[in-house]
Amino acid sequence: MSDSPGSAPAPTAAPATPAVPEPRPATLRQRLAELRGPDVAPHPLDARALAALAANPGCGRRALLDGAGVDKTALAAALGSPAPFGQSQFAFMRGNAFEARVKADGGTELLRLLHERMGAGAPPPVPGEVRVPDLTAAGPEGRVARTALALREATDAAGATGSVPGSAAWTLLVHPLLALEVAGSPAYLEPDAVVVRPDGRWIVVEIKSFPMIDSSADPSKVGAAARQAAVYVLALERVAARVTGARVDHSVLLVCPRDFSNLPTASVVDVRKQLSVTRRQLTRLTRIEDIAATLPEGTSFDPGRCSPAELTAAVDAVSAAYAPECLAACELAFHCRGQARSAGAVEALGRGVRGELGGLTTVGAVLAAARGESAPGVADDDPTVVALRRAAALRAEALESVPEGLDSLLDGADSLPEGAVAGCR
């Protein structure tokens, strides 16, 4: 029924106000892109970087910067503390020449060394019958897929011939490409070689140019090689989980020059310890959003958009765990060392010293405790304080008994410029 002419018009409903959608929280990848710089491509992670992370798992600064894909070399240069280290051209050429020699003739010498050290229960590889698949493909994703296919085919071939007496299906993969997801992004890893034994076991081969003298090598270099190989083992385990009958050996073959020659020799290195540390560190990397959440809004590590003062403030906002070993493994080590020295942190003297000093975290606190003064946060009966005061008393007693004439020499040593001796380290 229509309204009468004199009736009041019916009230109309007010138009609904469109709801304003709440801003969606940024994903981890978006947050890391903001820290890196929206127009900056992520710096790819490699096995050396992941091994360095495993060597210093307590450093939140390196974890965040590597997880965000920040180019630490460019960042260190912008901060005024470039890292003047790296492999010389001579060492690079020597390493390439040695690796080519080890892999020559279809890897005959390499497989001989591997069978000699890790071939128990398997027939020796026959030269000319070792499978060396072609791993070339377009792009890193294609090479990763081609490597996975070659590993599957090699394992299947090993299973098909393993029950036939006298048969052997050795496979050598030269420079395969593996992928490992780190903080939501793929890291592409390229070991020197991977060998598939006739029993389907996969073994990582790491070729280094430092020498083994009398069957032993520099422990620090062997440790670095073991951490790097552990990253490859971890990536291989991800592939082996999808291949029936595949097993990844937790021991790797380290091939080095023998003594001072260019002839190869090999040693077996167990990387189970390094593997567990790497797993924990990568798990920690997947939670770097907790570290990123503590940074002020607008923080950026992009040298192209931020001034040196802004970059310094951004870097210093992330906690670091500096140690002298960082000088050989991290591009920001010189910046972190300067920070540690200016703060008087005992970490600058090494992890061993830091562990011995307990609650005394600064050089000033250590010297105060040795002089008999109270150190903040540490009781006077603390074992470390007692030991320092005892050492100071013994030093004073020894100096009191210095023969006549030597005190002038000691006074002369005290007048040397600061760092004259320490600078030789």
Side-chain angles (χ1 to χ4, degrees):
M1 182 170 117
S2 61
D3 294 334
S4 61
S7 62
T12 57
T17 304
V20 179
E22 296 183 1
R24 297 174 61 186
T27 64
L28 175 59
R29 181 172 295 186
Q30 292 171 335
R31 179 58 174 148
L32 296 182
E34 292 172 359
L35 294 174
R36 182 178 64 249
D39 302 325
V40 180
H43 191 70
L45 279 172
D46 56 13
R48 288 180 182 272
L50 293 177
L53 277 172
N56 192 5
C59 185
R61 182 175 297 173
R62 171 144 200 170
L64 179 63
L65 294 176
D66 280 347
V70 176
D71 186 350
K72 297 195 298 299
T73 300
L75 180 60
L79 292 172
S81 303
F85 67 86
Q87 194 175 34
S88 68
Q89 188 66 21
F90 173 76
F92 183 76
M93 294 175 60
R94 182 176 182 271
N96 284 346
F98 177 70
E99 182 177 341
R101 177 165 188 164
V102 172
K103 296 177 180 177
D105 300 326
T108 301
E109 183 64 13
L110 187 154
L111 290 169
R112 182 192 68 80
L113 290 170
L114 188 141
H115 184 265
E116 180 181 302
R117 302 292 196 276
M118 305 178 68
V126 179
E129 297 184 9
V130 176
R131 296 159 46 94
V132 184
D134 182 12
L135 302 178
T136 57
E141 295 87 356
R143 289 186 58 197
V144 168
R146 184 68 188 91
T147 296
L149 178 61
L151 287 168
R152 183 186 300 273
E153 292 174 345
T155 306
D156 292 343
T161 60
S163 59
V164 181
S167 64
W170 290 83
T171 303
L172 171 64
L173 280 70
V174 178
H175 284 297
L177 193 66
L178 308 170
L180 188 64
E181 186 171 320
V182 179
S185 300
Y188 295 106
L189 315 171
E190 189 176 6
D192 294 325
V194 173
V195 175
V196 180
R197 282 175 35 123
D199 59 358
R201 200 165 67 193
W202 301 356
I203 300 175
V204 172
V205 178
E206 190 70 6
I207 303 174
K208 296 296 184 182
S209 59
F210 57 82
M212 284 189 187
I213 301 175
D214 292 336
S215 301
S216 63
D218 185 343
S220 63
K221 294 181 178 179
V222 173
R227 288 190 294 270
Q228 185 174 342
V231 176
Y232 299 139
V233 172
L234 183 60
L236 275 177
E237 285 183 341
R238 308 290 172 88
V239 182
R242 302 188 297 269
V243 178
T244 303
R247 291 178 297 152
V248 183
D249 204 312
H250 290 167
S251 293
V252 303
L253 187 73
L254 178 62
V255 181
C256 298
R258 183 174 60 204
D259 297 329
F260 298 101
S261 68
N262 204 33
L263 300 175
T265 187
S267 178
V268 179
V269 181
D270 190 334
V271 298
R272 282 177 294 182
K273 178 181 177 181
Q274 292 83 358
L275 190 59
S276 63
V277 172
T278 303
R279 282 199 189 99
R280 287 197 304 270
Q281 182 62 359
L282 291 185
T283 301
R284 184 174 183 271
L285 265 184
T286 60
R287 300 172 183 168
I288 56 176
E289 62 266 28
D290 298 336
I291 305 174
T294 63
L295 299 179
E297 191 68 28
T299 300
S300 175
F301 301 103
D302 184 3
R305 302 177 59 190
C306 302
S307 65
E310 291 172 331
L311 290 174
T312 300
V315 170
D316 294 351
V318 188
S319 63
Y322 171 76
E325 294 84 356
C326 297
L327 295 173
C330 183
E331 295 84 347
L332 286 178
F334 288 88
H335 175 79
C336 298
R337 183 181 67 174
Q339 274 190 319
R341 286 180 171 178
S342 63
V346 295
E347 286 85 350
L349 304 177
R351 291 193 178 100
V353 176
R354 175 68 188 90
E356 291 290 338
L357 292 175
L360 300 172
T361 59
T362 65
V363 175
V366 173
L367 296 178
R371 289 192 298 264
E373 304 170 6
S374 295
V378 181
D380 289 341
D381 59 350
D382 185 275
T384 303
V385 175
V386 173
L388 285 171
R389 291 176 179 172
R390 175 60 177 161
L394 291 174
R395 179 180 182 274
E397 181 181 340
L399 291 177
E400 288 177 359
S401 61
V402 171
E404 186 177 355
L406 288 182
D407 51 351
S408 59
L409 294 178
L410 295 176
D411 293 338
D414 291 339
S415 65
L416 289 174
E418 183 179 357
V421 178
C424 299
R425 295 180 59 186

